Amino acid sequence: MDKQKPRLCENKDECCGCTACATICPKQAITFNYDMEGFLYPRVDFTKCVGCLKCEAVCSFKKDLKTPLMEDSKTKIYAAKSRSRDIVTNSSSGGMFTVFSDVFLERGDIVAACQYSYESASVMLSIITDKESRDKARGSKYIQAELKDSFDKLIALLRKHREKKALVFGTGCQIAGLDLVLKSMNLRDRVVLVDLICHGAASSNLWKNYISKIESEKGSSISYVTFKNKRNGWESPSVFAIIDGKEISIKSYADWFYMGWSLRESCYKCPYTRIDRRSDITIGDYWGIQNVMPEFYDRMGISLVIVHTESGRKLFDNVSPAIDYQLSNRRECLQPRLISPQRRPNDRDLFWSDMQEKGMDYCIEKYVEHDDVSIKKKIKKCLKRLLKIQ
Ligand SMILES: Cc1cc2nc3c(=O)[nH]c(=O)nc-3n(C[C@H](O)[C@H](O)[C@H](O)COP(=O)(O)OP(=O)(O)OC[C@H]3O[C@@H](n4cnc5c(N)ncnc54)[C@H](O)[C@@H]3O)c2cc1C
Ligand code: SF4
Ligand code: SF4
Ligand code: SF4
């Protein structure tokens, strides 16, 4: 009988790049290669492949596109923030990443989260062992993480230290892929999975080209980058890099992200732009908190916390002395990325062909955020609409 051929990534919009397929493959037959836009996609080496189809079985993105996740009536929703002013100020939202990871780090358990590497100008899923390196993983990076063999490393650690548990943070699609891998290896009950509400993932190579252009113009390397600094408050995030002690604007890159030009094809179809997930807990910004709980508003940020499972509930209970929180509900907490994916811009293909043919400088001039369709405006419009319906 002919061996079966896995059908992994027949269309680009069906693959989020989570690497679950490569992690599970018993023959190391799957590798990842950059496409023209700088996103990583799997490729099967059919000389190694034995047709077991284990890779297809863990492709949660494709499964969840076909059959959306069911609504769970046990889900609990909260507005929450750390009681520490320092943590809230230095985090993207209300500091729940720090609060949750403290529990695991203090017990000597494993924590994995996405950090920015100044050496490789990329975001990587790293194993974190102390609070100092955890603090470096704070902050939203608007660059798709390059997962490479991160899931393999995490699994190796879980197998080596059988007494330890792990806490993993990632986007909805990364966590959904990891969920199925861990289940297939009987490791899921030792891991708490926390995913993010997510606008999308921008090409990692686009960022590398963008920042290397700035660095070569300035003749020096960046020492710091932030996509969500709160010096003007949580709702007006500042985005900048620092070179030689001076602040440099990276607004064009942020505009491409917010407007959706630079996102991966899968993001426009994302099945995780909803409340129900494969994770134990979902965290994000509680946009519009001032409309539904004005007394709980904090100009430095409030997190939205969605607790899906029993192990999520245990972790939330565990951190309750370290946070202030209020119970919310499915209607109050809605925001654009809990309703539908970012719309694919009509001129997305033109953006990428301009980038390839006319270059970065041309695109910096041409592709700028329009107020009428920016994500910030859309969040405000969406919240106003929802309030009218209530
Ligand atoms: C690309 C992206 C888009 C987002 N879009 C939305 C949105 O539309 N609406 C919303 O409510 N919230 C969104 N968020 C989530 C929000 O910005 C905060 O990251 C989240 O609320 C956690 O904040 P915090 O204060 O708990 O943690 P922080 O201390 O700021 O920690 C940030 C967490 O995000 C992780 N992270 C950062 N960058 C990446 C990345 N590129 N890939 C994977 N993980 C990463 C870090 O590892 C850490 O776990 C987005 C986050 C990212 C990374
Ligand atoms: S498992 Fe993940 S990386 Fe592999 S094909 Fe599916 S979505 Fe893509
Ligand atoms: S079918 Fe099996 S051997 Fe072939 S790529 Fe998929 S997991 Fe690997
Ligand atoms: S929008 Fe969806 S597919 Fe895109 S990075 Fe976020 S979770 Fe993944």
Side-chain angles (χ1 to χ4, degrees), residues 6 24-27 29-30 44 48-55:
I24 206 78
C25 176
K27 298 290 169 190
I30 302 175
V44 178
K48 291 183 179 170
C49 172
V50 290
C52 65
L53 302 192
K54 286 185 178 174
C55 49

PDB file of all heavy atoms in Angstrom, residues 6 24-27 29-30 44 48-55, ligand 3:
ATOM      1  N   PRO A   6       1.048  13.499   4.363  1.00  0.00           N
ATOM      2  CA  PRO A   6       0.375  14.458   5.253  1.00  0.00           C
ATOM      3  C   PRO A   6      -0.042  15.714   4.498  1.00  0.00           C
ATOM      4  O   PRO A   6       0.695  16.189   3.627  1.00  0.00           O
ATOM      5  CB  PRO A   6       1.451  14.777   6.292  1.00  0.00           C
ATOM      6  CG  PRO A   6       2.741  14.461   5.634  1.00  0.00           C
ATOM      7  CD  PRO A   6       2.480  13.353   4.659  1.00  0.00           C
ATOM      8  N   ILE A  24       6.086  16.705  16.853  1.00  0.00           N
ATOM      9  CA  ILE A  24       5.541  15.344  17.022  1.00  0.00           C
ATOM     10  C   ILE A  24       6.152  14.351  16.026  1.00  0.00           C
ATOM     11  O   ILE A  24       6.134  13.140  16.275  1.00  0.00           O
ATOM     12  CB  ILE A  24       3.983  15.379  16.884  1.00  0.00           C
ATOM     13  CG1 ILE A  24       3.343  14.223  17.653  1.00  0.00           C
ATOM     14  CG2 ILE A  24       3.524  15.352  15.463  1.00  0.00           C
ATOM     15  CD1 ILE A  24       3.264  14.424  19.112  1.00  0.00           C
ATOM     16  N   CYS A  25       6.681  14.837  14.914  1.00  0.00           N
ATOM     17  CA  CYS A  25       7.139  13.927  13.844  1.00  0.00           C
ATOM     18  C   CYS A  25       8.241  12.975  14.348  1.00  0.00           C
ATOM     19  O   CYS A  25       9.301  13.421  14.775  1.00  0.00           O
ATOM     20  CB  CYS A  25       7.657  14.741  12.651  1.00  0.00           C
ATOM     21  SG  CYS A  25       8.319  13.660  11.373  1.00  0.00           S
ATOM     22  N   PRO A  26       8.021  11.673  14.259  1.00  0.00           N
ATOM     23  CA  PRO A  26       9.009  10.726  14.787  1.00  0.00           C
ATOM     24  C   PRO A  26      10.241  10.597  13.882  1.00  0.00           C
ATOM     25  O   PRO A  26      11.240  10.003  14.293  1.00  0.00           O
ATOM     26  CB  PRO A  26       8.241   9.399  14.831  1.00  0.00           C
ATOM     27  CG  PRO A  26       7.157   9.543  13.818  1.00  0.00           C
ATOM     28  CD  PRO A  26       6.813  10.997  13.742  1.00  0.00           C
ATOM     29  N   LYS A  27      10.170  11.126  12.690  1.00  0.00           N
ATOM     30  CA  LYS A  27      11.281  10.971  11.720  1.00  0.00           C
ATOM     31  C   LYS A  27      12.023  12.282  11.438  1.00  0.00           C
ATOM     32  O   LYS A  27      12.819  12.352  10.505  1.00  0.00           O
ATOM     33  CB  LYS A  27      10.731  10.399  10.388  1.00  0.00           C
ATOM     34  CG  LYS A  27      10.113   9.022  10.530  1.00  0.00           C
ATOM     35  CD  LYS A  27      11.191   7.993  10.813  1.00  0.00           C
ATOM     36  CE  LYS A  27      10.604   6.668  11.227  1.00  0.00           C
ATOM     37  NZ  LYS A  27      11.626   5.749  11.734  1.00  0.00           N
ATOM     38  N   ALA A  29      11.065  14.760   9.910  1.00  0.00           N
ATOM     39  CA  ALA A  29      10.903  14.984   8.467  1.00  0.00           C
ATOM     40  C   ALA A  29      10.394  16.385   8.144  1.00  0.00           C
ATOM     41  O   ALA A  29      10.266  16.740   6.971  1.00  0.00           O
ATOM     42  CB  ALA A  29       9.933  13.944   7.918  1.00  0.00           C
ATOM     43  N   ILE A  30      10.091  17.187   9.196  1.00  0.00           N
ATOM     44  CA  ILE A  30       9.510  18.523   8.933  1.00  0.00           C
ATOM     45  C   ILE A  30      10.490  19.619   9.341  1.00  0.00           C
ATOM     46  O   ILE A  30      10.975  19.639  10.472  1.00  0.00           O
ATOM     47  CB  ILE A  30       8.167  18.697   9.693  1.00  0.00           C
ATOM     48  CG1 ILE A  30       7.193  17.588   9.262  1.00  0.00           C
ATOM     49  CG2 ILE A  30       7.573  20.078   9.444  1.00  0.00           C
ATOM     50  CD1 ILE A  30       5.873  17.577  10.022  1.00  0.00           C
ATOM     51  N   VAL A  44       7.765  19.202   4.290  1.00  0.00           N
ATOM     52  CA  VAL A  44       7.961  17.780   4.610  1.00  0.00           C
ATOM     53  C   VAL A  44       9.004  17.190   3.654  1.00  0.00           C
ATOM     54  O   VAL A  44       8.924  17.376   2.445  1.00  0.00           O
ATOM     55  CB  VAL A  44       6.625  17.004   4.476  1.00  0.00           C
ATOM     56  CG1 VAL A  44       6.839  15.516   4.761  1.00  0.00           C
ATOM     57  CG2 VAL A  44       5.566  17.589   5.411  1.00  0.00           C
ATOM     58  N   LYS A  48      12.100  11.058   4.147  1.00  0.00           N
ATOM     59  CA  LYS A  48      12.134  10.632   5.556  1.00  0.00           C
ATOM     60  C   LYS A  48      10.746  10.234   6.062  1.00  0.00           C
ATOM     61  O   LYS A  48      10.618   9.434   6.978  1.00  0.00           O
ATOM     62  CB  LYS A  48      12.646  11.781   6.437  1.00  0.00           C
ATOM     63  CG  LYS A  48      14.123  12.117   6.244  1.00  0.00           C
ATOM     64  CD  LYS A  48      14.481  13.216   7.240  1.00  0.00           C
ATOM     65  CE  LYS A  48      15.936  13.616   7.161  1.00  0.00           C
ATOM     66  NZ  LYS A  48      16.187  14.817   7.962  1.00  0.00           N
ATOM     67  N   CYS A  49       9.708  10.856   5.513  1.00  0.00           N
ATOM     68  CA  CYS A  49       8.340  10.685   6.018  1.00  0.00           C
ATOM     69  C   CYS A  49       7.861   9.231   5.844  1.00  0.00           C
ATOM     70  O   CYS A  49       8.048   8.638   4.787  1.00  0.00           O
ATOM     71  CB  CYS A  49       7.418  11.642   5.253  1.00  0.00           C
ATOM     72  SG  CYS A  49       5.684  11.400   5.594  1.00  0.00           S
ATOM     73  N   VAL A  50       7.235   8.682   6.920  1.00  0.00           N
ATOM     74  CA  VAL A  50       6.716   7.309   6.833  1.00  0.00           C
ATOM     75  C   VAL A  50       5.177   7.293   6.734  1.00  0.00           C
ATOM     76  O   VAL A  50       4.558   6.230   6.772  1.00  0.00           O
ATOM     77  CB  VAL A  50       7.183   6.457   8.048  1.00  0.00           C
ATOM     78  CG1 VAL A  50       8.664   6.168   7.977  1.00  0.00           C
ATOM     79  CG2 VAL A  50       6.812   7.136   9.384  1.00  0.00           C
ATOM     80  N   GLY A  51       4.584   8.473   6.636  1.00  0.00           N
ATOM     81  CA  GLY A  51       3.133   8.548   6.420  1.00  0.00           C
ATOM     82  C   GLY A  51       2.282   8.216   7.635  1.00  0.00           C
ATOM     83  O   GLY A  51       1.132   7.798   7.503  1.00  0.00           O
ATOM     84  N   CYS A  52       2.807   8.448   8.835  1.00  0.00           N
ATOM     85  CA  CYS A  52       2.044   8.100  10.056  1.00  0.00           C
ATOM     86  C   CYS A  52       0.914   9.094  10.348  1.00  0.00           C
ATOM     87  O   CYS A  52       0.020   8.816  11.135  1.00  0.00           O
ATOM     88  CB  CYS A  52       2.985   8.016  11.250  1.00  0.00           C
ATOM     89  SG  CYS A  52       3.745   9.611  11.669  1.00  0.00           S
ATOM     90  N   LEU A  53       1.001  10.271   9.764  1.00  0.00           N
ATOM     91  CA  LEU A  53      -0.002  11.353   9.913  1.00  0.00           C
ATOM     92  C   LEU A  53      -0.144  11.896  11.337  1.00  0.00           C
ATOM     93  O   LEU A  53      -1.145  12.513  11.687  1.00  0.00           O
ATOM     94  CB  LEU A  53      -1.377  10.919   9.378  1.00  0.00           C
ATOM     95  CG  LEU A  53      -1.442  10.487   7.914  1.00  0.00           C
ATOM     96  CD1 LEU A  53      -2.885  10.373   7.453  1.00  0.00           C
ATOM     97  CD2 LEU A  53      -0.701  11.456   6.984  1.00  0.00           C
ATOM     98  N   LYS A  54       0.883  11.647  12.173  1.00  0.00           N
ATOM     99  CA  LYS A  54       0.856  12.223  13.525  1.00  0.00           C
ATOM    100  C   LYS A  54       0.858  13.747  13.451  1.00  0.00           C
ATOM    101  O   LYS A  54       0.310  14.428  14.307  1.00  0.00           O
ATOM    102  CB  LYS A  54       2.068  11.741  14.331  1.00  0.00           C
ATOM    103  CG  LYS A  54       1.947  10.302  14.768  1.00  0.00           C
ATOM    104  CD  LYS A  54       3.086   9.906  15.659  1.00  0.00           C
ATOM    105  CE  LYS A  54       2.893   8.459  16.102  1.00  0.00           C
ATOM    106  NZ  LYS A  54       3.996   7.928  16.852  1.00  0.00           N
ATOM    107  N   CYS A  55       1.536  14.279  12.444  1.00  0.00           N
ATOM    108  CA  CYS A  55       1.617  15.742  12.284  1.00  0.00           C
ATOM    109  C   CYS A  55       0.235  16.352  12.047  1.00  0.00           C
ATOM    110  O   CYS A  55      -0.115  17.371  12.644  1.00  0.00           O
ATOM    111  CB  CYS A  55       2.573  16.099  11.162  1.00  0.00           C
ATOM    112  SG  CYS A  55       2.278  15.177   9.652  1.00  0.00           S
TER     113      CYS A  55
HETATM  114  S1  SF4 B   3       3.315  11.759   8.346  1.00  0.00           S
HETATM  115 FE1  SF4 B   3       4.523  11.111  10.141  1.00  0.00          FE
HETATM  116  S2  SF4 B   3       6.580  10.892   9.383  1.00  0.00           S
HETATM  117 FE2  SF4 B   3       5.477  12.016   7.822  1.00  0.00          FE
HETATM  118  S3  SF4 B   3       5.895  14.154   8.295  1.00  0.00           S
HETATM  119 FE3  SF4 B   3       4.006  13.603   9.353  1.00  0.00          FE
HETATM  120  S4  SF4 B   3       4.610  12.971  11.391  1.00  0.00           S
HETATM  121 FE4  SF4 B   3       6.460  12.956  10.106  1.00  0.00          FE
END
